[in-house]
Each structure stands twice: as structure tokens, then as C-alpha cells.
Amino acid sequence: MTDDPKSLDNSKFLIRQLIMEDVGSEGQKRLEAAKVLVVGLGGLGGAAAMYLARAGVGRITMLDSDVVEPGNLNRQLLFTPCSVGKRKAEVALGKILEIGMQHEVRSVDLHLMEQNAASIVKDFDLVLDCLDNFPSRLALAKAAWREGVGLVHAACRGFEGRLSYQVAGATPCLVCLLGEHPLQTTPVPILGAVAGTMAALQATEAIKALLGLPSPLAGGLLMADLRAMTFDTIRIGRRPACPLCGAVQE
Ligand SMILES: [Zn+2]
């Protein structure tokens, strides 16, 4: 007999995760209590949000101000041709709710910029930077740093991906990694499977952070080259004159 989907509680969904030594019921309670913000619902954010939802993260908010375009569909797993022309935030909310976990999911149709970033990030435990442009990335990173909220940053291009975790007040910040005025080239070439790989890694890093597990990416940078199938992690140096974190003592 098949269970009525509405009668399934999270523990039935999560059985294979709950038996992990690093999760267990205590870890799961941490995930259920967590408030996570996913900024950008493209190839990174959509897949990362799905993994967070399926891990039972209790309160997920997704933010994007774009409309689905045909050129998004090679990598943006939340969307299909029927989504073209619709608001990403609205379609994403429906898709994440379909997963059926008993938790709070919200979506916000808003463009993040310097003027509103602090008020957006301040109530969260962790933020995922799944954006595709540097002005918004830097506005998000600065706000998260100043509000004391951890930031898991991911980016991809072609066969390559980058992943890093900035712990406010403890590690070098994203400005140290990217500089204040990084060069933006568009459109960014990207293979969908590469974006999905980086999204899965980003969600893994976020879940580890929420569980309180250590990571070499706290203050480190993963450089993935999926053409060569190499994964290298380097330490990020703090820029002494960094306007955001330069005054922090190691
Ligand atoms: Zn810095």
C-alpha cells in the first residue's frame, strides 16, 4: 500500500540522512531550525534550493527578480518551456513546495542591490550567493559580512567552478577574493551539468555550515576544472587594505 503523500512526515523522507553520524536527530533539528537565504534562482540557486529543501532545512527564502527565458533552460532545473515568460520567484516557489517537505518556503521577487541588501540578509543564519553579476554579489557579500551572516559563494563558467565560504569576522571576505571592481563579461558560457555540480557542492557546504562541521572552504577557495576533472583548494589571503575586512586581526 502506498502512503498518502500528505501523511508523510519529514522523518520518512529523511531516513537515509538521519542515519548519518554527522546528522542524526540533533543535526536534523539544527537544519530544521535554520533560516537560509538563496539569492539568485538560476543554474546554481535553483538546484541548491532543491537540495536544501530535500535536506529538511526548515526555513528557506529564495530571491530573484528575473523572468524565465529560453536560454535559461540548459541549466536551470526548476524551469521548463512552460515556465518561459513567468517570474522565476513564483515558479521556483511552486517547485520547491512540490517537494513536499514540511517546512517554511518563501520567495521574494526583488533585485538585490546595495540599498536593500542589509535589510534582506539580516535575519538569516546563512546566505547562498548564486548570483550571476558582480555588483549584486558584492552588495550581498558586504551586507552579509556587516550583519554577521555566513556566505557560501559559488560561481561557474564553461567547465570551471569556484566555491568559497566566508565567515563574517573570521575569514577573508568576498572582496578579498574578487576585488572591488571585477571585470564582468556576458553572456557567460556555461554547461548545465557544471552549474549543477557546483550547486550540489554549494548546498553541501551550506548544510555542513548549518551542522557546525568544519570546512577547508572557510577562508579557502575550491577551484574545480571539470574538463580536467581537477579539484584544488587554496587559502584566500586577506587584502590588508580591504575596505570590508582589512581591519580584522588574524
Ligand atoms: Zn576583505
Side-chain angles (χ1 to χ4, degrees):
M1 193 179 106
T2 309
D3 286 324
D4 173 359
K6 292 197 184 83
S7 73
L8 289 172
D9 62 31
N10 285 1
S11 63
K12 289 185 178 166
F13 288 117
L14 295 166
I15 184 67
R16 299 286 284 269
Q17 175 175 314
L18 288 165
I19 59 175
M20 286 176 68
E21 203 173 304
D22 283 321
V23 182
S25 60
E26 283 308 307
Q28 196 59 45
K29 279 182 197 158
R30 292 179 79 146
L31 296 180
E32 283 169 11
K35 289 186 284 185
V36 178
L37 174 67
V38 178
V39 185
L41 292 171
L44 291 168
M50 282 200 284
Y51 277 118
L52 295 179
R54 286 177 190 272
V57 171
R59 282 172 279 181
I60 300 170
T61 297
M62 304 176 287
L63 185 142
D64 200 300
S65 63
D66 284 345
V67 165
V68 182
E69 296 174 13
N72 298 152
L73 300 185
N74 80 319
R75 63 197 181 282
Q76 301 190 10
L77 303 183
L78 294 176
F79 312 127
T80 64
C82 295
S83 318
V84 172
K86 295 180 180 169
R87 310 297 303 178
K88 286 188 178 180
E90 187 185 338
V91 179
L93 181 63
K95 290 288 179 186
I96 298 298
L97 288 172
E98 256 178 33
I99 292 171
M101 301 288 285
Q102 293 172 6
H103 52 195
E104 185 184 307
V105 186
R106 295 172 57 232
S107 73
V108 181
D109 197 329
L110 193 66
H111 181 66
L112 184 139
M113 54 188 122
E114 247 180 90
Q115 294 86 331
N116 61 16
S119 64
I120 290 170
V121 306
K122 67 183 170 63
D123 292 327
F124 290 94
D125 299 314
L126 189 70
V127 175
L128 275 67
D129 166 13
C130 308
L131 286 157
D132 60 357
N133 71 88
F134 288 122
S136 292
R137 280 190 192 280
L138 291 174
L140 176 66
K142 288 176 184 174
W145 185 272
R146 289 178 180 135
E147 297 297 327
V149 179
L151 179 86
V152 183
H153 158 82
C156 45
R157 181 184 183 88
F159 275 106
E160 296 180 2
R162 300 279 186 272
L163 184 64
S164 182
Y165 174 33
Q166 278 80 46
V167 183
T171 67
C173 72
L174 197 68
V175 178
C176 286
L177 177 63
L178 299 178
E180 281 194 83
H181 305 287
L183 277 180
Q184 179 95 42
T185 54
T186 55
V188 176
I190 181 68
L191 192 67
V194 173
T197 301
M198 296 314 298
L201 294 174
Q202 187 179 25
T204 305
E205 191 66 11
I207 290 164
K208 281 165 52 193
L210 296 173
L211 290 171
L213 298 174
S215 172
L217 298 189
L221 173 69
L222 171 71
M223 300 190 301
D225 179 343
L226 300 181
R227 193 165 182 273
M229 277 301 167
T230 56
F231 294 80
D232 297 306
T233 300
I234 59 167
R235 303 304 300 163
I236 302 170
R238 192 187 302 282
R239 296 178 188 228
C242 176
L244 196 56
C245 77
V248 175
Q249 297 299 312
E250 293 285 357

mmCIF file of all heavy atoms in Angstrom, residues 14 46 85 125 145 150 182 207 228 245:
data_model
loop_
_atom_site.group_PDB
_atom_site.id
_atom_site.type_symbol
_atom_site.label_atom_id
_atom_site.label_comp_id
_atom_site.label_asym_id
_atom_site.label_seq_id
_atom_site.Cartn_x
_atom_site.Cartn_y
_atom_site.Cartn_z
ATOM 1 N N LEU A 14 13.601 11.591 5.247
ATOM 2 C CA LEU A 14 14.995 11.868 5.599
ATOM 3 C C LEU A 14 15.729 10.681 6.191
ATOM 4 O O LEU A 14 16.842 10.834 6.687
ATOM 5 C CB LEU A 14 15.036 13.035 6.593
ATOM 6 C CG LEU A 14 14.555 14.369 6.031
ATOM 7 C CD1 LEU A 14 14.306 15.370 7.145
ATOM 8 C CD2 LEU A 14 15.572 14.917 5.037
ATOM 9 N N GLY A 46 18.664 27.438 -8.149
ATOM 10 C CA GLY A 46 17.516 26.539 -8.242
ATOM 11 C C GLY A 46 17.859 25.148 -7.738
ATOM 12 O O GLY A 46 17.119 24.557 -6.938
ATOM 13 N N GLY A 85 8.724 33.162 -19.644
ATOM 14 C CA GLY A 85 7.883 34.355 -19.528
ATOM 15 C C GLY A 85 7.317 34.560 -18.140
ATOM 16 O O GLY A 85 6.792 35.630 -17.829
ATOM 17 N N ASP A 125 20.474 32.889 8.981
ATOM 18 C CA ASP A 125 21.635 32.232 9.574
ATOM 19 C C ASP A 125 22.739 32.051 8.542
ATOM 20 O O ASP A 125 23.921 31.975 8.882
ATOM 21 C CB ASP A 125 21.239 30.842 10.104
ATOM 22 C CG ASP A 125 20.174 30.933 11.173
ATOM 23 O OD1 ASP A 125 20.324 31.776 12.079
ATOM 24 O OD2 ASP A 125 19.184 30.181 11.085
ATOM 25 N N TRP A 145 28.490 40.249 5.477
ATOM 26 C CA TRP A 145 29.632 40.446 6.383
ATOM 27 C C TRP A 145 29.269 41.394 7.516
ATOM 28 O O TRP A 145 29.511 41.113 8.695
ATOM 29 C CB TRP A 145 30.819 40.986 5.576
ATOM 30 C CG TRP A 145 32.065 41.106 6.392
ATOM 31 C CD1 TRP A 145 32.445 42.180 7.150
ATOM 32 C CD2 TRP A 145 33.063 40.102 6.571
ATOM 33 N NE1 TRP A 145 33.635 41.917 7.769
ATOM 34 C CE2 TRP A 145 34.036 40.645 7.430
ATOM 35 C CE3 TRP A 145 33.233 38.819 6.077
ATOM 36 C CZ2 TRP A 145 35.167 39.941 7.808
ATOM 37 C CZ3 TRP A 145 34.372 38.112 6.453
ATOM 38 C CH2 TRP A 145 35.313 38.675 7.314
ATOM 39 N N GLY A 150 26.957 34.263 7.603
ATOM 40 C CA GLY A 150 27.868 33.494 6.751
ATOM 41 C C GLY A 150 27.388 33.475 5.313
ATOM 42 O O GLY A 150 26.181 33.548 5.045
ATOM 43 N N PRO A 182 35.583 43.712 -10.088
ATOM 44 C CA PRO A 182 35.899 42.612 -11.001
ATOM 45 C C PRO A 182 35.311 42.849 -12.385
ATOM 46 O O PRO A 182 34.251 43.484 -12.525
ATOM 47 C CB PRO A 182 35.253 41.392 -10.332
ATOM 48 C CG PRO A 182 34.295 41.934 -9.341
ATOM 49 C CD PRO A 182 34.717 43.313 -8.983
ATOM 50 N N ILE A 207 24.957 23.008 4.073
ATOM 51 C CA ILE A 207 24.444 22.054 5.069
ATOM 52 C C ILE A 207 25.509 21.781 6.123
ATOM 53 O O ILE A 207 25.229 21.741 7.324
ATOM 54 C CB ILE A 207 23.965 20.768 4.363
ATOM 55 C CG1 ILE A 207 22.690 21.069 3.568
ATOM 56 C CG2 ILE A 207 23.738 19.639 5.371
ATOM 57 C CD1 ILE A 207 22.323 20.011 2.541
ATOM 58 N N ALA A 228 39.305 18.987 -16.923
ATOM 59 C CA ALA A 228 40.470 18.205 -16.499
ATOM 60 C C ALA A 228 40.128 17.286 -15.324
ATOM 61 O O ALA A 228 40.930 16.444 -14.947
ATOM 62 C CB ALA A 228 41.600 19.148 -16.094
ATOM 63 N N CYS A 245 37.065 43.965 5.328
ATOM 64 C CA CYS A 245 37.587 43.126 6.418
ATOM 65 C C CYS A 245 39.043 43.427 6.739
ATOM 66 O O CYS A 245 39.636 42.734 7.579
ATOM 67 C CB CYS A 245 37.415 41.646 6.073
ATOM 68 S SG CYS A 245 38.624 41.022 4.886
#
